């Protein structure tokens, strides 16, 4: 991949991380008025409609048959199961515990990617993930409240992490034959179909929800889902699943910053330190070793004495 394509992929990954971080702020508002399944379905319907309109304008057709399996699996697990159980889990545990458990996801992605996709595990990636995970643990512990967790909530967050990791690994091969827009659009549609049992609940909640909560749900569908999942797929098609998973460790640090700016939640020193560790680990995991110029042996003419021989 040339330098220009590498910069575009890095930019796409940055857009994804920023928008996914903003989703946590919006979920705080929408989740108070919408049940977990209803919120997931409303978000996915908004995302599917947005992506469908873009596909019509761009005249994107069905993805190739070779991409159907990966797209469907990622749609069910990542777009569907992940969003429902994460919304549900965050109602059972405090934000710190949820962030801590869900951040097992990138580790699972690295393990599954190495096992199923043959992703390389260079030392810098492993070191960066270790630093970022330490930061996520620090953020989680600093934000955890006393008695705010339940066994059910922890299990739900763990299930969310597993669904997220499996969905990412399933999506990667599909991007080999289909465009990022195709994979995201049809994955989002499959996720919406998976969540259709919550349609009645969505109608009931929408009838009583304040306008601000509904607008936040629509924002979640258009930006953190339609746009961010497409930029994610674009970047994932150009790097390994393990490296992209490690990039998402920047999300907790950005959530802390956004909560500070938009919700007035002033983070403590321990939380800030954890956020810095998350960002530092991402920087290490995405860095590449410096290339050294190859040493060429000096050529000598017949009978010429080299300096080492003189």
């Amino acid at each position: 991949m040339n330098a220009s394509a590498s910069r575009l992929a890095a930019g796409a990954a940055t857009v994804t991380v920023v928008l996914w971080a903003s989703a946590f702020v919006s979920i705080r508002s929408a989740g108070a008025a919408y049940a977990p399944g209803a919120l997931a379905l409303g978000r996915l319907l908004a995302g599917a409609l947005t992506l469908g309109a873009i596909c019509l304008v761009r005249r994107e057709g069905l993805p190739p048959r070779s991409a159907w399996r990966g797209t469907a699996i990622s749609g069910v697990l990542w777009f569907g199961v992940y969003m429902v159980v994460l919304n549900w889990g965050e109602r059972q545990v405090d934000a710190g515990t949820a962030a801590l458990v869900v951040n097992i996801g990138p580790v699972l992605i690295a393990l599954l990617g190495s096992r199923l996709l043959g992703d390389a595990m260079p030392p810098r990636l492993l070191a960066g993930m270790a630093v970022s995970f330490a930061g996520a643990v620090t953020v989680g512990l600093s934000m955890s409240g006393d008695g705010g967790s339940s066994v059910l909530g922890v299990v739900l967050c763990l299930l969310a992490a597993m669904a997220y990791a499996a969905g990412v690994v399933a999506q990667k091969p599909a991007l080999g034959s289909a465009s990022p827009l195709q994979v995201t659009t049809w994955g989002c549609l499959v996720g919406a179909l998976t969540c259709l049992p919550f349609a009645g609940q969505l109608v009931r909640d929408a009838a009583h929800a304040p306008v601000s909560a509904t607008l936040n749900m629509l924002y979640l569908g258009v930006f953190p889902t339609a746009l961010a999942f497409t930029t994610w797929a674009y970047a994932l098609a150009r790097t390994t699943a393990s490296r992209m998973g490690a990039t998402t460790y920047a999300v907790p640090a950005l959530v802390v910053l956004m909560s500070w700016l938009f919700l007035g939640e002033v983070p403590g020193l321990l939380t800030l330190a954890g956020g810095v560790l998350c960002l530092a680990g991402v920087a290490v995991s995405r860095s590449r070793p410096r290339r050294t110029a190859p040493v060429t042996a000096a050529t000598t003419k017949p009978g010429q004495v080299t300096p080492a021989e003189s």
Side-chain angles (χ1 to χ4, degrees), residues 97-180:
T97 302
L100 176 59
V101 177
V102 173
N103 270 295
I104 296 173
V107 178
L108 297 177
I109 290 173
L111 294 175
L112 290 173
S114 176
R115 177 72 175 177
L116 301 177
L117 303 177
D119 286 354
M121 299 286 285
R124 285 173 181 260
L125 175 60
L126 295 174
M129 290 184 66
V131 172
S132 288
F133 187 70
V137 170
T138 303
V139 171
L141 293 177
S142 67
M143 295 172 62
S144 295
D146 296 330
S149 301
S150 70
V151 174
L152 174 61
V154 172
V155 170
L156 288 169
C157 289
L158 181 59
L159 179 60
M162 295 170 64
Y164 157 49
V168 170
V169 174
Q171 188 186 64
K172 173 65 176 177
L175 291 166
S177 56
S179 71

Side-chain angles (χ1 to χ4, degrees), residues 293-299:
V295 179
T296 56
T299 57

